[in-house]
Amino acid sequence: MNNIGTLIVLTGPSGVGKGTLLRQLTQRHPALYVTVSATTRPPRPGEVEGQDYYFLTREQFQTHIDHDQFLEWAEYAGQFYGTLREPVFAQLQLGRRVILEIELQGARQVRQRMPEAFLIFICPPTWADLEKRIRGRGQDSEQAIRRRLEQAKLELAAAEEFDFQLINDDLETALQALATKILSL
Ligand code: 5GP
């Protein structure tokens, strides 16, 4: 298949502000295409089916795995998350910049399967700041929060594997740096 677009992966620990960065980025640059992932995690208040995620049962998720319909998928904090292959390739063939906002294991799978992808890691300014943001979200159980904190430590240790690292301290500064990098690809 002849892809003429650019595949961009955005990874970083839960709570680092990837979602906010991406929302702002796509508002300013509507030509960027952000994929909608599938997940088995229940929707948080305000999340919309088909917009934030495709919310699937484990059985539905497994069917996509069995049919090899995921570009990548991973288990994260006890739930499954995956990127459907088809929309990604369709947009790449249109020549667009396609952004996947995914966790570390998924990023590694993309690196293997599509080595031409550009991988970006978003870091928090400090660990204390990240813990505050994860706890401050107030929408997850204490158990889920602990799992996310453990996972965050593992993810931060892998930041060096990425092509580009960005510290999300001041939102506007991070946004400008991210936009400049992505639009240069
Ligand atoms: P959350 O439950 O907070 O929405 O997402 C938890 C983690 O799953 C985040 O790090 C997010 O980037 C990641 N994630 C979301 N969608 C996907 C996906 O399609 N594949 C993978 N591997 N991770 C994902």
Side-chain angles (χ1 to χ4, degrees):
M1 191 173 329
N2 198 8
N3 290 324
I4 50 172
T6 308
L7 185 59
I8 298 151
V9 170
L10 203 69
T11 299
S14 169
V16 80
K18 289 168 294 182
T20 308
L21 277 170
L22 268 187
R23 263 192 305 279
Q24 301 261 351
L25 190 71
T26 49
Q27 265 174 23
R28 293 184 195 184
H29 305 282
L32 298 172
Y33 179 85
V34 180
T35 57
V36 178
S37 295
T39 185
T40 59
R41 117 160 134 59
R44 296 190 181 122
E47 284 185 330
V48 178
E49 163 71 21
Q51 196 172 308
D52 295 289
Y53 280 107
Y54 299 108
F55 295 101
L56 305 183
T57 62
R58 290 205 169 220
E59 291 70 27
Q60 288 170 326
F61 199 96
Q62 186 61 49
T63 304
H64 286 300
I65 296 176
D66 294 342
H67 290 91
D68 196 24
Q69 285 166 335
F70 286 121
L71 171 61
E72 62 74 35
W73 67 272
E75 189 176 353
Y76 177 93
Q79 301 289 350
F80 291 98
Y81 295 83
T83 307
L84 290 161
R85 195 189 291 278
E86 201 279 324
V88 172
F89 287 149
Q91 295 300 321
L92 286 177
Q93 283 182 314
L94 292 175
R96 293 181 79 175
R97 292 186 178 86
V98 176
I99 306 179
L100 271 51
E101 191 251 278
I102 61 178
E103 53 67 69
L104 178 62
Q105 303 166 70
R108 286 176 171 156
Q109 290 171 37
V110 173
R111 169 72 95 204
Q112 277 209 331
R113 289 173 196 166
M114 301 186 71
E116 70 277 20
F118 190 83
L119 274 59
I120 300 176
F121 193 88
I122 312 288
C123 307
T126 63
W127 174 257
D129 183 85
L130 185 68
E131 182 161 2
K132 200 169 87 192
R133 290 200 217 176
I134 291 179
R135 292 191 174 280
R137 185 143 63 186
Q139 289 173 345
D140 295 315
S141 67
E142 181 59 28
Q143 192 201 15
I145 288 172
R146 272 205 303 271
R147 290 173 98 161
R148 277 162 192 273
L149 288 169
E150 276 169 32
Q151 201 72 37
K153 278 201 183 116
L154 295 176
E155 297 217 336
L156 285 171
E160 295 291 308
E161 291 174 29
F162 287 69
D163 299 309
F164 184 68
Q165 291 107 16
L166 181 72
I167 298 174
N168 187 15
D169 191 351
D170 172 62
L171 176 66
E172 186 55 37
T173 310
L175 199 53
Q176 296 276 354
L178 187 63
T180 303
K181 176 47 83 177
I182 286 179
L183 296 176
S184 78
L185 296 172

